[in-house]
């Protein structure tokens, strides 16, 4: 199998390295807005660099992995669909609902594959939580608490391109909330704070955010995120039911400290970032993509799934700006949700 990788930044490098080692991948063609960066990675991996993304389509590949800036995702997805190519794309499809819906429409019209990169679906902890909920171990689920806390903020230049904290960061929590519980979000109420560095205010973004989400069975969920968690990278989900409570992301590297005299000690080596915390999950999602392309398994996260996570993020942004609860039915793209 010959795979094209468009975008060789941080996550593109990780994906290309993983694919280069996969037994079913014969070769890679790498491309980047900075041709020298693609050439350097190709040399290190023993793969081929293309002078531009057009050459990837012209030279011929069996599938495409898109890890470019978000602004290029929808166009590349549509182009690949028109050529009959299977695509793995980092989230999101686009930073708005119209662009997302258009790209999904092209994929569905062409009958091609689009798998989205929500890697938490492949994390052992989240998979265990999903199994526990679906098996009824918790009884009636009444409360879910999700959080994503980055140790340090991204570069200032990234913020205007990110889509904001809800679309860039909390979208992972929104997706995995649906996936673990099997329920849909019906209403959100969100708030954000830009009290941190001025670069967030200058970008029209917030450095910390919180949302209360109501699920379609009455379960209440909270989702919080921050760019300024100096203790380390912290991603967790707590699920409480009438029978039991479980937690994802609590181990000897979780960057929390107890004030109780008999509490556990603080982590010696807290997680520094998402690449370290979710390394195995990133490898597993690409292995799944290869299996999907080969017809060996169904798509674990298609465009419609990504659309629902973006709709929740959009509802949160609207709620934050208008200081009111927002029902998901107010936003386009509802239709029939994907199979959570």
């Amino acid at each position: 199998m010959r795979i094209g990788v468009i975008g060789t930044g941080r996550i593109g490098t990780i994906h290309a390295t993983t694919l280069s080692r996969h037994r079913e991948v014969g070769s890679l063609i790498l491309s980047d807005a900075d041709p020298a960066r693609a050439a350097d990675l190709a040399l290190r991996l023993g793969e081929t660099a293309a002078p531009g993304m057009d050459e990837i389509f012209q030279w011929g590949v069996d599938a495409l992995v898109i890890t470019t800036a978000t602004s290029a995702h929808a166009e590349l997805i549509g182009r690949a669909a028109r050529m009959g190519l299977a695509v793995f794309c980092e989230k999101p499809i686009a930073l708005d609902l119209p662009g997302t819906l258009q790209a999904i429409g092209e994929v569905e019209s062409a009958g091609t594959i689009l798998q989205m990169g929500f890697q938490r679906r492949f994390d052992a902890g989240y998979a265990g939580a999903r199994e526990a909920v679906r098996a009824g171990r918790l009884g009636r689920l009444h409360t879910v608490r999700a959080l994503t806390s980055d140790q340090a903020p991204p570069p200032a230049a990234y913020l205007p391109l990110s889509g904001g904290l809800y679309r860039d960061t909390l979208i992972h929590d929104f997706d995995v909330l649906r996936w673990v519980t099997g329920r849909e979000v019906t209403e959100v109420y969100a708030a954000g704070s830009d009290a941190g560095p001025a670069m967030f205010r200058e970008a029209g973004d917030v450095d910390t955010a919180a949302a209360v989400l109501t699920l379609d069975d009455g379960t209440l969920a909270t989702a919080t995120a921050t760019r300024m968690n100096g203790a380390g990278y912290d991603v967790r989900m707590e699920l409480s039911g009438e029978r039991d409570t479980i937690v994802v992301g609590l181990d000897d590297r979780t960057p929390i400290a107890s004030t109780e005299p008999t509490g556990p000690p603080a982590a010696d080596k807290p997680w520094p970032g998402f690449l370290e915390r979710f390394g195995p999950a990133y490898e597993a999602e690409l292995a799944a993509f290869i299996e999907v392309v080969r017809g060996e398994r169904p798509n674990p996260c298609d465009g419609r799934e990504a659309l629902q996570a973006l709709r929740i993020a959009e509802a949160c942004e609207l709620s934050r700006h208008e200081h009111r609860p927002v029902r998901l039915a107010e936003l386009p793209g509802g239709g029939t949700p994907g199979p959570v």
Side-chain angles (χ1 to χ4, degrees), residues 69-127:
T70 298
S71 58
H73 288 184
E75 179 183 354
L76 289 171
I77 289 169
R79 186 173 179 181
R82 292 189 294 274
M83 294 189 66
L85 293 176
V87 170
F88 176 94
C89 184
E90 279 300 319
K91 60 79 189 168
I93 294 173
L95 290 178
D96 58 24
L97 291 173
T100 300
L101 288 165
Q102 181 176 346
I104 290 172
E106 292 212 58
V107 170
E108 292 178 347
S109 294
T112 53
I113 294 166
L114 171 60
Q115 180 181 326
M116 296 302 299
F118 283 104
Q119 86 283 353
R120 295 188 195 182
R121 293 179 177 225
F122 296 88
D123 176 72
Y126 284 105

Side-chain angles (χ1 to χ4, degrees), residues 260-287:
E260 299 296 335
T262 59
D268 289 333
K269 295 181 179 180
W271 296 108
F274 61 90
L275 291 177
E276 295 81 6
R277 166 66 178 83
F278 291 109
Y282 281 118
E283 293 189 10
E285 69 178 356
L286 288 175

Side-chain angles (χ1 to χ4, degrees), residues 14-315:
I14 295 295
H15 286 342
T17 302
T18 298
L19 290 167
S20 185
R21 296 195 301 255
H22 197 286
R23 64 182 183 277
E24 300 294 346
V25 177
S27 63
L28 302 177
I29 303 177
L30 311 180
S31 173
D32 193 88
D34 179 358
R37 184 164 66 177
D40 178 67
L41 180 59
L43 181 63
R44 285 187 278 133
L45 297 179
E47 303 290 355
T48 301
M53 67 178 65
D54 288 342
E55 283 77 9
I56 285 187
F57 290 98
Q58 294 166 3
W59 294 354
V61 292
D62 300 302
L64 192 65
V65 171
I66 300 172
T67 59
T68 62
T70 298
S71 58
H73 288 184
E75 179 183 354
L76 289 171
I77 289 169
R79 186 173 179 181
R82 292 189 294 274
M83 294 189 66
L85 293 176
V87 170
F88 176 94
C89 184
E90 279 300 319
K91 60 79 189 168
I93 294 173
L95 290 178
D96 58 24
L97 291 173
T100 300
L101 288 165
Q102 181 176 346
I104 290 172
E106 292 212 58
V107 170
E108 292 178 347
S109 294
T112 53
I113 294 166
L114 171 60
Q115 180 181 326
M116 296 302 299
F118 283 104
Q119 86 283 353
R120 295 188 195 182
R121 293 179 177 225
F122 296 88
D123 176 72
Y126 284 105
R130 174 183 164 98
E131 181 179 350
V133 170
R134 304 300 178 92
R137 171 181 157 189
L138 279 64
R140 183 185 70 84
L141 189 65
H142 54 73
T143 309
V144 182
R145 305 174 187 89
L147 67 89
T148 296
S149 300
D150 291 329
Q151 183 176 31
Y158 173 75
L159 294 177
L161 308 175
S162 71
L165 193 57
Y166 295 104
R167 299 185 190 94
D168 183 51
T169 299
L170 276 167
I171 196 169
H172 281 287
D173 297 274
F174 301 151
D175 175 72
V176 85
L177 173 64
R178 295 180 62 247
W179 187 74
V180 167
T181 65
R183 313 304 309 190
E184 296 295 339
V185 174
T186 60
E187 185 177 87
V188 307
Y189 191 88
S193 170
D194 61 2
M199 65 181 183
F200 292 99
R201 294 184 291 279
E202 294 166 357
D205 197 6
V206 294
D207 59 77
T208 303
V212 177
L213 309 101
T214 302
L215 307 189
D216 59 11
D217 64 347
T219 300
L220 294 179
T222 60
T224 63
T226 184
R227 303 281 198 183
M228 311 292 296
N229 199 57
Y233 181 72
D234 191 3
V235 172
R236 278 176 283 136
M237 173 180 275
E238 300 175 10
L239 301 106
S240 297
E242 293 180 344
R243 294 180 184 170
D244 201 358
T245 294
I246 57 175
V247 59
V248 178
L250 183 61
D251 59 22
D252 60 1
R253 300 192 67 179
T254 305
I256 55 176
S258 174
T259 61
E260 299 296 335
T262 59
D268 289 333
K269 295 181 179 180
W271 296 108
F274 61 90
L275 291 177
E276 295 81 6
R277 166 66 178 83
F278 291 109
Y282 281 118
E283 293 189 10
E285 69 178 356
L286 288 175
F289 177 60
I290 299 301
E291 292 175 356
V292 171
V293 175
R294 290 169 57 86
E296 297 171 353
R297 65 172 293 173
N299 191 339
C301 188
D302 63 17
R304 291 284 168 183
E305 293 282 276
L307 170 64
Q308 298 311 318
L310 180 60
R311 291 179 71 245
I312 300 169
E314 291 283 335

